[in-house]
Amino acid sequence: QYVSHVAFLCDNPEVQRHLPQIVIGNEKTIPEADLASLRSNCPGNFIILRRASAWVNGQLFAWVVRKLAAALAPFMDTMQPLLLFDACKQHLCPLVFKACAEARIFPVVVPARTTWLLQPLDTHVFATYKCHLMRAYQEERIKSADGEVGLASLLRCVYTATRGVLESRGWATAFSRNGFGSSQSELSARVLGAVSYTHL
């Protein structure tokens, strides 16, 4: 049994706290009878979805874009959001780009097989996030009488890891080092080397 965490990250700590964090579970993982309770006990920026599959498809990703747009609405007068996402086919359907256009969010597709190099969540966040998640999970196991961790407890681990990593640190450097900063002036040697770029 698994859940998917659709995580959002940005380079502005003030905005970061408002970004949605979406957890998707299938119908077996999240019993319908438990859904209301799980939702009532999650942080305000978390959304829990119960679907036939925990995987994201094009229609769901377009919905996710609209949720992101709603969260960003208070900032739209002074900022232009860019949404970085990888090039899997579920992300590239017309519904997704239509949702971005309607929301005035500029889509930026990270080329296939380069997320390990360019996607800030992959390069700077998820390893630390998983360590925090594992630590929180082990603490829940210790507290449990039988060593089992139920779904509600697992979700608390996700909330703890999200607060401890995504929402408690500044990520502007991660974006800049990956090439998404001002004029790419802080691009890392790792990225430069990977693309075999040299200054003329």
Side-chain angles (χ1 to χ4, degrees), residues 10-197:
C10 79
D11 61 354
N12 184 311
E14 178 187 0
V15 177
Q16 179 68 53
R17 292 189 293 271
H18 295 271
L19 295 183
Q21 305 293 335
I22 301 171
V23 175
I24 309 166
N26 64 31
E27 294 169 352
K28 181 180 179 181
T29 301
I30 303 180
E32 186 174 7
D34 296 344
L35 185 58
S37 175
L38 293 173
R39 284 175 170 168
S40 67
N41 287 292
C42 72
N45 64 324
F46 267 82
I47 300 168
I48 299 176
L49 297 180
R50 178 179 184 266
R51 296 175 60 86
S53 170
W55 295 102
V56 175
N57 58 30
Q59 183 178 18
L60 178 56
F61 191 55
W63 179 89
V64 167
V65 171
R66 291 191 290 273
K67 284 296 181 182
L68 175 63
L72 292 175
F75 307 98
M76 293 298 288
D77 288 342
T78 57
M79 299 180 183
Q80 173 56 61
L82 291 91
L83 177 59
L84 311 178
F85 53 88
D86 65 55
C88 72
K89 64 180 182 179
Q90 292 88 346
H91 294 168
L92 302 180
C93 76
L95 285 174
V96 172
F97 293 98
K98 183 175 185 290
C100 287
E102 291 173 347
R104 295 187 294 126
I105 294 174
F106 292 173
V108 179
V109 179
V110 178
R113 295 186 293 276
T114 64
T115 55
W116 64 274
L117 181 69
L118 300 176
Q119 172 59 271
L121 279 166
D122 286 346
T123 59
H124 290 79
V125 179
F126 278 147
T128 303
Y129 169 85
K130 290 175 182 177
C131 286
H132 277 65
L133 181 59
M134 181 59 70
R135 187 180 304 119
Y137 179 82
Q138 294 298 346
E139 290 173 357
E140 288 288 341
R141 287 192 67 191
I142 291 169
K143 290 188 292 185
S144 171
D146 58 4
E148 296 295 323
V149 177
L151 180 59
S153 297
L154 174 62
L155 290 176
R156 284 197 298 271
C157 297
V158 172
Y159 308 149
T160 297
T162 300
R163 287 193 300 267
V165 180
L166 276 74
E167 296 176 356
S168 68
R169 307 180 184 195
W171 296 106
T173 299
F175 284 85
S176 294
R177 299 292 283 170
N178 285 15
F180 302 108
S182 177
S183 303
Q184 296 185 324
S185 58
E186 298 179 0
L187 196 61
S188 71
R190 179 171 181 256
V191 174
L192 289 171
V195 299
S196 301
Y197 176 83

